[in-house]
Amino acid sequence: MKMGWGFAFLAILTLPVAVAQKNSTPLHDGWRLQSACTLHAGGEAISAPGFAVEDWQNVRVPSTVLAAQVANKLVPDPFFGMNLRSIPGTTYPMGQNFSNLPMPKDSPYNCGWWYRTEFAVPSSTERDKRTWIHFGGINYRGEVWVNGRKVADGTTIAGAYRTYDLDVTDYVKPGAQNVLAVETFAPTEKDLGINWVDWNPCPPDKDMGLQGEVILGSSGPVTLRSPMAVTHFQDESLKVAELTVYAELHNAADHPVKVTVTGSAAGVHFEQPVELAAHEDKTVVFTPEKFTQLKIHNATPWWPAQMGTPHLEQLSMSVNVGGAKSDERSVDFGFREITSELTSNGSRLFRVNGKPILIRGAGWSQDMLLRTDERRLKDQFQLVREMHLNTIRLEGKLETEDFFHLADEQGILVMLGWCCCDHWERWNTWTPEDLIIATASLRSQMLRLRHHASLLVWLNGSDNPPPANVEKAYLDVEVETHWPNPTLSSATGAPTVNAGQTGVKMSGPYDYVAPSYWYVDKQNGGGFGFNMETSPGPAIPSLAGRAKFLADPEAWPPSDAWSFHNGGGEFKTLTVFNEAMAAVYAPPHSAAEYERVGQTMAYDSERAMYEAYTRNKYSSTGVIQWMLNNAWPSMIWHLYDYYLDADAGYFAVRKACEPLHIQYSYDDASIAVVNSTYQPVEGLQASLTVHGVHWNELYKEDVTLNSAADSVQRVFSIPDSLFVGPERLLFVDLTLKDATGHTVSRNFYWVPRTLTSFDFPHTDYTHTPAQRHEDLSALASLPPAKVEASVTVDKSEHGRVLHVRLNNSPQALAFQVRAAVTTENGGLIAPVYWSDNWIELAPGETSELTAQLPDDAPDTLSVQVEGWNIAPVKLTPEKTSTTSKGGR
């Protein structure tokens, strides 16, 4: 492949999947795939009609090479056990970042791989009709051939995050079958590729291939791309929204043209004439000053779901040449304005339509093989919504149009930008060509994404800010493409010459810390400022989840296959987590004990993390859990596992982020009521009860209060005397009811008499070690509880719903009770949307958990109820049973 760098002109094309465009046809099916190492032919022959491809693999595009091999069962499932290590080319050291290592010389992915398909181009009598092929992503380099002729090579096709719009008018045959062939080449360690860092392994093909949409399109001589409507509200009343509308024009003709650009936004019409020179690109702009109809009165704003309704409008635009429509585009948009500022303590505060918002989010990962699944995507968005998170962060994983459309529609903010830890941040080794590819990649993504209502901020760097020349080039692109949202130089607190202070931090931790850490730490990752990525680390999947990817899910001690599904780098082992478990609770003696205690540890610390940032708003302005999900089955960094099974951490976050919430503070033993809605609530009733380990009542207090919109209010403080008495452990039981007596928040804590003390001088980027661990070992010897459980099932408009009724006997507290739905033989059913889980039942208390089942759940299923001090029991709907301590 020729590797020169004389970049040919390529227009940028945005074709949102969620909003169908006329005169475009996705080329998904009918593709064949083959390694260039097995072929004795070049592009001219391969792309010619009649070339024999019967022995090639079938592939549906988009697909990476390895994803196609997995789909065709040519390699073992790389997600199961240690199968990944048996795939040819996976010879890099375990736990290292393969992005920074050269492809092994004997790797089958060291060759080019050919994708080939045939497509029809209809006959047309239209004058100056143009035919285009859009590539939404080619990783990393490529050559494109049509009907035996080369359209583009490596001088043009380079960059995993670039999009391409190739004019193939002179290459196709209208009224006939045509052949498209693309040879793709994997990124090297010196390319700006797709990077998996220490989240999970990198696949041996480095995700090479056609990882984006391929779309056949047609137009007249002038194309219109990337329409966008930008809102500015005249004042805080939001009664008048001033729209500025943009679109990108390209004249494909070799002569000047006069065109008319027309459009409508939220029902308002506008148009203007434009002149284009031969082959000229031009941005057309409609301002509210010149087009006064774009001052929209009584517009309905778009809000994040936490703040209101994510109302969307439609922007439609077209370009006409000589009275005939040449091209048109439609996209959704929202009347919304996102700004940011530095608070008095230097923290980055974001505002939506002028109102402040505490960012509570988590880091998103695509599938490791970049596979897409519409149902899975929708399920994940529902899981995010039900946790009450308001933001998803993408670090380099810039996702599909379907993703961003769902975010717009469901009111989830999206934070996005480049990735860390490979050539993307090794600027001192960049060549001039790297900067060309980087800025072209940025331009592609700006124009592709800029119209989406959900976008919060773009990060030009991740773990480090770019040097001045690179940052300046990025900022220039963002100005040229009229990026309508804030930008930050990186996810760190490092200031830059061009952009100044970020107002954010990336100081960890990423490994386990005790719950009190988030309140008492004042220098690192504690609950102040804006933490761009942090978490208490490990998240042990359930037995049913582990059985999906381990041959020995109950092995004790854990096998090498378990460890293989940890992270990379410093996270190859779970040493910090395991040592804390043994010191704080007790050393586990089985996989079941390890899972049970590990889930409780995750619940306790995840809840505290979000609650600390919430209590301190707006001294704290944001927190991003690292991470939300996994690219493959993993033991670390998720709130629900790869198979969408919700962990204890999921329910802890759901609890911590609920709209009306009551919570305990580890630093001063105070109780706060949090209103995360934007409406005042009157007549709330808050209750605090403190019990000893044998459920002896130690303290009780009640109060009625009014809660202001978006507020935090301290309402109680537990007396110091309770922490110096004979009790080793305090149970803090909190309830918040509305004016009608309905419980809107129930929160339960197990607080040791003496909290963990931290060795702050020995903090590293992974965590702050414990100088002395707290003692929660009393939980292992709780008095036995007896819980009667019954399960019924009914049908709703959304499908089947389980009702699990739990009735605790008067003898003792039932601690960390969990209900799980499985197949008859214990197989995983997911996602299941529970009303709550990992709960406590006071002596004599009755509670009901509901669960929305997935559509594909089997007719016959089981419900397992278990807890720390009750015997596990297996139920089927309509049957009842009684649980007592034992078995574990």
Side-chain angles (χ1 to χ4, degrees):
M1 179 179 66
K2 183 179 178 183
M3 300 299 291
W5 292 98
F7 278 85
F9 165 78
L10 290 177
I12 304 297
L13 175 65
T14 299
L15 293 174
V17 175
V19 182
Q21 305 293 349
K22 295 181 180 179
N23 302 319
S24 65
T25 304
L27 300 179
H28 290 311
D29 299 309
W31 288 85
R32 294 298 189 101
L33 175 70
Q34 185 60 277
S35 169
C37 289
T38 67
L39 297 173
H40 301 286
E44 183 177 357
I46 292 170
S47 65
F51 186 81
V53 293
E54 289 78 10
D55 59 343
W56 289 30
Q57 298 175 49
N58 290 307
V59 58
R60 191 173 194 273
V61 168
S63 173
T64 68
V65 171
L66 182 58
Q69 292 177 304
V70 171
N72 288 311
K73 302 187 184 305
L74 298 178
V75 297
D77 177 5
F79 286 12
F80 190 84
M82 297 181 69
N83 282 351
L84 180 65
R85 300 299 299 180
S86 69
I87 295 176
T90 317
T91 56
Y92 58 90
M94 289 174 57
Q96 289 196 21
N97 185 350
F98 188 34
S99 302
N100 293 323
L101 300 174
M103 188 76 76
K105 291 184 179 179
D106 61 348
S107 170
Y109 312 107
N110 211 17
C111 296
W113 281 73
W114 282 98
Y115 290 74
R116 185 185 188 276
T117 191
E118 297 185 9
F119 62 96
V121 176
S123 300
S124 174
T125 58
E126 296 178 34
R127 183 170 174 265
D128 293 329
K129 181 182 177 182
R130 314 301 296 181
T131 301
W132 306 84
I133 297 179
H134 170 70
F135 291 94
I138 299 175
N139 189 24
Y140 181 74
R141 304 182 191 274
E143 290 189 351
V144 178
W145 295 74
V146 173
N147 295 333
R149 299 170 62 191
K150 185 187 292 186
V151 179
D153 61 16
T155 63
T156 299
I157 308 298
Y161 295 96
R162 296 178 65 190
T163 62
Y164 306 92
D165 186 7
L166 304 182
D167 187 343
V168 294
T169 305
D170 296 335
Y171 300 82
V172 296
K173 301 173 182 177
Q177 282 293 102
N178 294 264
V179 179
L180 168 63
V182 185
E183 186 178 15
T184 63
F185 300 84
T188 73
E189 72 279 13
K190 296 181 180 180
D191 284 326
L192 301 170
I194 296 171
N195 183 10
W196 291 106
V197 198
D198 48 15
W199 315 347
N200 50 264
C202 178
D205 69 340
K206 296 193 178 186
D207 283 319
M208 70 180 299
L210 298 181
Q211 106 278 14
E213 294 271 326
V214 181
I215 300 172
L216 178 69
S218 63
S219 72
V222 177
T223 61
L224 183 148
R225 306 291 189 242
S226 305
M228 172 179 64
V230 178
T231 302
H232 172 65
F233 289 104
Q234 282 190 351
D235 54 47
E236 64 183 14
S237 72
L238 309 183
K239 290 183 177 179
V240 180
E242 298 179 340
L243 281 187
T244 303
V245 177
Y246 301 89
E248 309 303 316
L249 304 179
H250 170 64
N251 180 16
D254 57 5
H255 54 80
V257 292
K258 293 181 179 180
V259 305
T260 302
V261 180
T262 64
S264 65
V268 173
H269 181 79
F270 48 89
E271 69 174 65
Q272 68 170 296
V274 178
E275 295 186 8
L276 294 165
H279 302 297
E280 183 182 6
D281 294 307
K282 181 177 287 188
T283 301
V284 60
V285 184
F286 296 83
T287 66
E289 291 77 21
K290 187 173 181 180
F291 298 86
T292 56
Q293 66 269 40
L294 293 176
K295 294 182 179 181
I296 312 292
H297 292 262
N298 300 315
T300 302
W302 180 95
W303 294 102
Q306 176 188 338
M307 302 176 76
T309 301
H311 175 79
L312 291 171
E313 301 279 359
Q314 189 169 78
L315 168 66
S316 297
M317 299 186 73
S318 63
V319 56
N320 296 278
V321 180
K325 187 175 292 184
S326 182
D327 202 10
E328 60 185 328
R329 289 287 180 270
S330 293
V331 295
D332 290 337
F333 78 96
F335 288 109
R336 105 293 187 262
E337 185 174 13
I338 293 180
T339 58
S340 76
E341 65 204 54
L342 293 176
T343 65
S344 59
N345 70 356
S347 301
R348 178 65 55 181
L349 174 67
F350 288 94
R351 293 180 183 269
V352 181
N353 302 335
K355 293 186 177 183
I357 182 170
L358 174 69
I359 297 300
R360 294 186 294 192
W364 175 276
S365 180
Q366 291 173 289
D367 177 85
M368 192 175 81
L369 305 185
L370 306 186
R371 294 172 295 192
T372 59
D373 183 316
E374 182 182 2
R375 178 69 261 168
R376 178 181 174 85
L377 185 63
K378 290 180 178 178
D379 285 338
Q380 292 193 77
F381 266 85
Q382 183 168 347
L383 289 166
V384 170
R385 287 199 322 275
E386 298 212 355
M387 276 189 286
H388 312 294
L389 295 179
N390 56 32
T391 302
I392 293 171
R393 181 183 168 199
L394 310 181
E395 186 187 0
K397 309 299 179 280
L398 297 184
E399 270 297 351
T400 63
E401 282 295 329
D402 283 339
F403 174 96
F404 292 102
H405 179 70
L406 282 173
D408 294 345
E409 189 178 69
Q410 299 185 18
I412 305 296
L413 295 167
V414 182
M415 172 185 297
L416 64 171
W418 298 131
C419 195
C420 77
C421 308
D422 72 342
H423 198 60
W424 275 103
E425 291 196 349
R426 293 183 172 179
W427 295 286
N428 62 333
T429 68
W430 276 23
T431 65
E433 290 77 17
D434 288 325
L435 184 58
I436 291 173
I437 292 175
T439 53
S441 300
L442 180 62
R443 182 172 287 103
S444 287
Q445 295 304 321
M446 293 285 105
L447 292 173
R448 179 174 81 94
L449 300 172
R450 65 184 186 178
H451 68 276
H452 286 286
S454 56
L455 301 189
L456 177 70
V457 63
W458 176 271
L459 277 62
N460 284 322
S462 180
D463 289 19
N464 298 280
N469 67 312
V470 176
E471 185 179 42
K472 175 64 165 56
Y474 285 167
L475 292 171
D476 287 346
V477 169
E478 286 148 9
V479 170
E480 292 164 9
T481 56
H482 304 282
W483 175 252
N485 308 303
T487 61
L488 294 178
S489 57
S490 74
T492 74
T496 64
V497 172
N498 293 300
Q501 298 289 338
T502 64
V504 302
K505 63 181 182 179
M506 203 183 78
S507 47
Y510 297 88
D511 214 332
Y512 182 77
V513 288
S516 58
Y517 169 87
W518 306 103
Y519 288 87
V520 303
D521 174 71
K522 306 299 182 185
Q523 300 296 322
N524 304 294
F528 64 92
F530 195 124
N531 202 337
M532 294 291 281
E533 49 187 71
T534 187
S535 82
I540 309 304
S542 67
L543 171 61
R546 296 196 306 275
K548 296 280 287 184
F549 66 96
L550 295 173
D552 53 359
E554 297 186 85
W556 195 257
S559 66
D560 289 343
W562 283 53
S563 301
F564 185 55
H565 288 266
N566 297 337
E570 297 295 322
F571 307 101
K572 288 188 293 185
T573 70
L574 306 188
T575 302
V576 172
F577 180 75
N578 293 342
E579 289 179 350
M581 180 185 294
V584 175
Y585 295 88
H589 297 96
S590 67
E593 282 189 19
Y594 184 66
E595 176 197 331
R596 171 169 55 82
V597 181
Q599 295 280 7
T600 296
M601 290 170 68
Y603 190 108
D604 210 9
S605 200
E606 290 283 6
R607 174 177 59 177
M609 181 183 78
Y610 279 97
E611 287 183 339
Y613 277 88
T614 298
R615 190 203 67 178
N616 294 340
K617 71 175 179 183
Y618 285 98
S619 172
S620 69
T621 54
V623 59
I624 301 294
Q625 149 80 16
W626 204 251
M627 301 177 66
L628 171 69
N629 59 355
N630 292 131
W632 84 322
S634 179
M635 302 289 183
I636 68 168
W637 294 343
H638 63 252
L639 299 176
Y640 52 85
D641 74 9
Y642 178 79
Y643 303 102
L644 311 189
D645 188 22
D647 296 330
Y650 169 94
F651 292 97
V653 174
R654 178 183 173 129
K655 179 75 65 180
C657 298
E658 60 192 354
L660 290 171
H661 180 63
I662 188 167
Q663 65 182 65
Y664 173 79
S665 301
Y666 283 89
D667 56 345
D668 60 7
S670 67
I671 309 300
V673 170
V674 179
N675 182 356
S676 293
T677 76
Y678 286 72
Q679 299 295 328
V681 182
E682 296 184 348
L684 292 172
Q685 306 160 53
S687 299
L688 158 68
T689 309
V690 182
H691 293 273
V693 72
H694 294 285
W695 206 246
N696 46 316
E697 186 175 299
L698 303 174
Y699 186 79
K700 184 175 178 61
E701 194 170 355
D702 300 279
V703 70
T704 299
L705 66 139
N706 298 327
S707 180
D710 191 27
S711 67
V712 179
Q713 184 176 351
R714 283 176 169 82
V715 293
F716 304 125
S717 187
I718 296 176
D720 292 342
S721 59
L722 269 64
F723 294 94
V724 295
E727 297 286 349
R728 294 165 53 199
L729 180 67
L730 301 180
F731 289 129
V732 179
D733 195 359
L734 305 176
T735 303
L736 186 67
K737 296 182 178 181
D738 64 18
T740 68
H742 173 71
T743 299
V744 294
S745 179
R746 172 79 183 278
N747 216 347
F748 189 96
Y749 297 82
W750 43 104
V751 182
R753 180 172 60 191
T754 303
L755 298 174
T756 294
S757 62
F758 295 96
D759 186 6
F760 287 109
H762 288 93
T763 298
D764 61 22
Y765 87 95
T766 67
H767 76 298
T768 296
Q771 196 170 50
R772 184 196 66 249
H773 286 285
E774 59 196 32
D775 181 7
L776 292 171
S777 58
L779 293 170
S781 55
L782 289 173
K786 246 182 159 180
V787 174
E788 291 183 348
S790 62
V791 182
T792 59
V793 62
D794 61 33
K795 291 185 178 181
S796 73
E797 59 179 323
H798 302 296
R800 285 184 294 161
V801 178
L802 287 182
H803 300 265
V804 182
R805 187 173 178 83
L806 304 171
N807 183 20
N808 190 18
S809 63
Q811 286 83 4
L813 167 76
F815 182 68
Q816 286 277 277
V817 177
R818 180 211 180 189
V821 183
T822 66
T823 63
E824 278 190 291
N825 61 1
L828 182 67
I829 297 174
V832 175
Y833 301 103
W834 286 96
S835 58
D836 201 357
N837 227 325
W838 276 274
I839 66 170
E840 283 69 42
L841 293 169
E845 182 179 1
T846 296
S847 182
E848 182 177 291
L849 305 178
T850 61
Q852 177 73 50
L853 296 174
D855 294 339
D856 59 355
D859 292 336
T860 305
L861 42 79
S862 296
V863 177
Q864 182 96 354
V865 178
E866 54 191 8
W868 273 62
N869 59 334
I870 67 173
V873 64
K874 189 175 182 180
L875 303 171
T876 55
E878 307 299 342
K879 295 182 180 180
T880 63
S881 182
T882 300
T883 72
S884 59
K885 185 172 181 180
R888 301 194 67 158

Coordinates of all heavy atoms in Angstrom, one line a residue, residues 12 103 115 165 173 211 242 322 395 412 428 439 460 474 481 489 616 621 651 704 730 750 756 821 831:
I12 N -17.2 15.9 4.2 CA -17.6 15.2 5.4 C -19.1 14.9 5.3 O -19.9 15.8 4.9 CB -17.3 16.0 6.7 CG1 -15.9 16.4 6.7 CG2 -17.8 15.3 7.9 CD1 -15.0 15.2 6.9
M103 N 2.5 -5.1 16.2 CA 1.8 -6.3 15.8 C 2.8 -7.4 15.6 O 3.8 -7.2 14.9 CB 1.0 -6.1 14.5 CG 0.1 -7.2 14.1 SD -1.5 -7.3 15.1 CE -2.4 -6.0 14.4
Y115 N -12.6 -6.4 2.4 CA -14.1 -6.5 2.4 C -14.6 -6.2 1.0 O -14.1 -5.3 0.3 CB -14.6 -5.4 3.3 CG -14.3 -5.5 4.8 CD1 -13.1 -5.3 5.3 CD2 -15.4 -5.9 5.7 CE1 -12.8 -5.4 6.7 CE2 -15.2 -6.0 7.0 CZ -13.9 -5.7 7.6 OH -13.7 -5.8 8.9
D165 N -16.5 10.7 2.7 CA -17.5 10.7 1.7 C -16.9 10.8 0.3 O -16.3 11.8 -0.1 CB -18.4 12.0 1.9 CG -19.6 12.1 1.0 OD1 -19.8 11.1 0.3 OD2 -20.3 13.1 1.1
K173 N -21.6 2.2 -12.5 CA -22.3 2.0 -13.7 C -23.8 2.0 -13.3 O -24.4 1.0 -12.8 CB -22.0 0.6 -14.3 CG -20.5 0.5 -14.6 CD -20.1 -0.9 -15.1 CE -18.7 -1.1 -15.4 NZ -18.3 -2.5 -15.7
Q211 N -15.3 -0.5 10.8 CA -16.0 -0.5 12.1 C -17.1 0.6 12.1 O -17.9 0.7 13.1 CB -15.0 -0.2 13.2 CG -15.0 1.1 13.9 CD -14.1 2.1 13.1 OE1 -13.8 1.9 11.9 NE2 -13.8 3.3 13.7
E242 N -33.1 32.2 20.7 CA -32.5 32.7 19.4 C -31.8 31.5 18.8 O -30.8 31.0 19.4 CB -31.6 33.9 19.7 CG -32.3 35.1 20.3 CD -31.4 36.2 20.6 OE1 -30.1 36.0 20.7 OE2 -31.8 37.4 20.7
G322 N -30.9 25.5 -9.7 CA -31.7 25.7 -10.9 C -33.2 25.2 -10.6 O -33.8 24.7 -11.5
E395 N -14.7 8.0 26.7 CA -13.3 8.3 26.5 C -12.8 7.6 25.2 O -12.4 6.5 25.2 CB -12.4 7.9 27.7 CG -11.0 8.4 27.6 CD -10.1 7.8 28.6 OE1 -10.5 7.1 29.5 OE2 -8.9 8.1 28.6
I412 N -30.2 12.1 28.6 CA -28.9 11.8 29.3 C -27.8 12.6 28.7 O -27.6 12.5 27.4 CB -28.6 10.3 29.1 CG1 -29.8 9.4 29.6 CG2 -27.3 9.9 29.9 CD1 -30.1 9.5 31.1
N428 N 5.2 14.1 21.9 CA 6.6 14.3 21.5 C 7.1 13.4 20.4 O 8.1 13.6 19.9 CB 7.4 14.2 22.8 CG 7.4 12.8 23.4 OD1 6.4 12.1 23.2 ND2 8.5 12.4 24.1
T439 N -6.4 16.3 13.6 CA -7.4 17.4 13.4 C -8.5 16.9 12.4 O -9.6 17.4 12.5 CB -6.6 18.6 12.8 OG1 -5.8 18.3 11.7 CG2 -5.7 19.2 13.9
N460 N -10.3 17.7 24.8 CA -9.2 17.6 23.8 C -8.1 16.7 24.3 O -7.2 16.3 23.5 CB -8.7 19.0 23.5 CG -9.6 19.8 22.6 OD1 -10.2 19.2 21.7 ND2 -9.8 21.1 22.8
Y474 N -6.6 21.9 17.7 CA -7.9 21.4 18.0 C -8.9 22.6 18.2 O -10.0 22.5 17.7 CB -7.8 20.6 19.3 CG -7.2 19.3 19.2 CD1 -6.8 18.6 20.4 CD2 -7.0 18.6 18.0 CE1 -6.2 17.3 20.3 CE2 -6.4 17.4 18.0 CZ -6.0 16.7 19.1 OH -5.5 15.5 19.1
T481 N -15.8 24.6 13.1 CA -17.0 23.7 13.0 C -18.2 24.2 13.9 O -19.2 23.5 13.9 CB -16.7 22.3 13.3 OG1 -16.1 22.2 14.6 CG2 -15.7 21.7 12.3
S489 N -9.4 21.2 28.1 CA -8.1 20.7 27.6 C -7.8 19.3 27.9 O -7.2 18.6 27.2 CB -7.0 21.6 28.0 OG -6.9 21.6 29.5
N616 N -22.1 17.6 49.1 CA -21.2 18.8 49.0 C -21.5 19.7 47.8 O -20.7 20.6 47.5 CB -19.8 18.4 49.0 CG -19.4 17.7 50.3 OD1 -20.0 17.9 51.3 ND2 -18.3 16.9 50.2
T621 N -18.9 19.6 42.1 CA -19.7 19.9 40.9 C -19.9 18.7 40.0 O -20.7 18.8 39.1 CB -19.1 21.1 40.1 OG1 -17.7 20.7 39.9 CG2 -19.1 22.4 40.9
F651 N -27.4 -0.9 42.7 CA -28.5 -0.5 43.6 C -28.1 0.6 44.6 O -28.9 1.4 45.0 CB -29.1 -1.7 44.2 CG -29.9 -2.6 43.3 CD1 -29.2 -3.7 42.7 CD2 -31.1 -2.3 42.9 CE1 -29.9 -4.5 41.8 CE2 -31.8 -3.1 42.0 CZ -31.2 -4.2 41.4
T704 N -40.2 17.3 60.6 CA -41.0 17.7 59.4 C -40.3 18.9 58.8 O -39.9 19.8 59.5 CB -42.4 18.0 59.7 OG1 -43.1 16.9 60.3 CG2 -43.2 18.4 58.4
L730 N -22.9 0.3 64.6 CA -24.2 1.0 64.7 C -25.0 0.8 63.4 O -24.4 0.9 62.3 CB -24.0 2.5 64.9 CG -23.3 2.9 66.1 CD1 -23.2 4.5 66.2 CD2 -23.9 2.4 67.4
W750 N -24.5 0.5 58.0 CA -23.8 -0.2 59.0 C -22.5 0.5 59.3 O -21.5 0.5 58.5 CB -23.6 -1.7 58.6 CG -23.1 -1.9 57.2 CD1 -21.9 -2.2 56.8 CD2 -24.0 -1.8 56.0 NE1 -21.9 -2.4 55.4 CE2 -23.1 -2.1 54.9 CE3 -25.3 -1.6 55.8 CZ2 -23.6 -2.2 53.6 CZ3 -25.8 -1.6 54.5 CH2 -25.0 -1.9 53.4
T756 N -12.1 3.7 59.4 CA -10.8 3.5 58.8 C -10.0 4.8 58.9 O -10.5 5.9 58.7 CB -10.9 3.1 57.3 OG1 -11.5 1.8 57.3 CG2 -9.6 3.0 56.6
V821 N -33.4 -13.5 39.8 CA -34.2 -14.3 38.9 C -33.2 -15.1 38.0 O -32.3 -14.5 37.5 CB -35.1 -13.4 38.1 CG1 -36.0 -14.3 37.2 CG2 -36.0 -12.5 38.9
P831 N -31.3 -8.2 31.2 CA -31.4 -7.4 32.4 C -32.8 -7.6 33.1 O -33.8 -7.8 32.4 CB -31.2 -6.0 31.9 CG -31.8 -6.0 30.5 CD -31.5 -7.4 30.0

